[in-house]
């Protein structure tokens, strides 16, 4: 079961055809649920800065997709993410991402890079995602609804 689950997660990463990899550190002791909430807020803040305060209603809005996997929950807790979206989003992440993440998670680390080999990156970020009980250690970004803003 664990190899099948890992392959399914890898297939999901490949299907969204991500262009960038993000590593977001939690910084302080916390739970995956709280970090997932903070990652959602981070993505929403970035999009708000690109498209304005009513970004989810904008005709210019292009939904991003992201899949991430938590690692090292007992120390150096961080999340590796694969992100697909428009160039405007990636430009903002590259220029302001670290500052926006640190405003969300004060002690959190931030790293962004382009993905050179999607298959290889999908294997790398899913290395700890083989336990069916670890679904809370997965992050999936969806288009926000108004209650998230």
């Amino acid at each position: 079961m664990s190899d099948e689950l890992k392959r399914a997660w890898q297939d999901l990463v490949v299907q969204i055809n991500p262009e960038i990899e993000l590593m977001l550190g939690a910084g302080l002791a916390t739970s995956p649920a709280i970090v997932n909430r903070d990652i959602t807020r981070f993505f929403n803040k970035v999009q708000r800065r690109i498209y304005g305060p009513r970004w989810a209603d904008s005709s210019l809005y292009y939904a991003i997709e992201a899949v991430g996997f938590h690692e090292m929950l007992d120390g150096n807790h961080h999340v590796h993410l694969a992100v697909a979206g428009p160039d405007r989003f990636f430009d903002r992440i590259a220029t302001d991402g670290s500052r926006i993440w640190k405003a969300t998670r004060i002690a959190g680390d931030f790293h962004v890079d382009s993905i050179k080999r999607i298959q290889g990156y999908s294997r790398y970020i899913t290395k700890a995602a083989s336990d069916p009980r670890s679904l809370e250690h997965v992050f999936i970004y969806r288009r926000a609804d108004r209650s998230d803003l």
Side-chain angles (χ1 to χ4, degrees), residues 12-23 43 51 62-67 80-91 93-94 111-119 121-122 125:
L12 178 62
V13 171
V14 171
Q15 285 173 10
I16 70 167
N17 196 27
E19 292 96 356
I20 65 166
E21 61 179 77
L22 279 177
M23 188 287 300
F43 284 141
Y51 301 110
Y62 176 86
I64 63 166
E65 295 179 293
V67 180
H80 291 282
L81 297 121
V83 185
D87 289 342
R88 291 177 77 176
F89 180 80
F90 300 135
D91 292 344
I93 288 281
H111 173 79
V112 61
D113 203 353
S114 61
I115 295 176
K116 279 92 174 150
R117 294 178 34 247
I118 294 173
Q119 292 283 353
Y121 187 66
S122 73
I125 70 172

Side-chain angles (χ1 to χ4, degrees), residues 34-48 100-101 104 139 141 148:
I34 291 172
V35 175
N36 285 349
R37 178 203 66 197
D38 290 345
I39 296 170
T40 297
R41 288 179 176 169
F42 168 76
F43 284 141
N44 291 348
K45 285 178 185 179
V46 171
Q47 293 178 105
R48 188 175 300 118
I100 296 168
W101 181 243
T104 306
F139 172 82
Y141 185 79
D148 292 333

Side-chain angles (χ1 to χ4, degrees), residues 20 39 52 60 87 94 96 123 133 142:
I20 65 166
I39 296 170
L60 301 174
D87 289 342
D96 294 337
R123 285 190 299 273
R133 296 170 296 181
R142 60 179 174 70

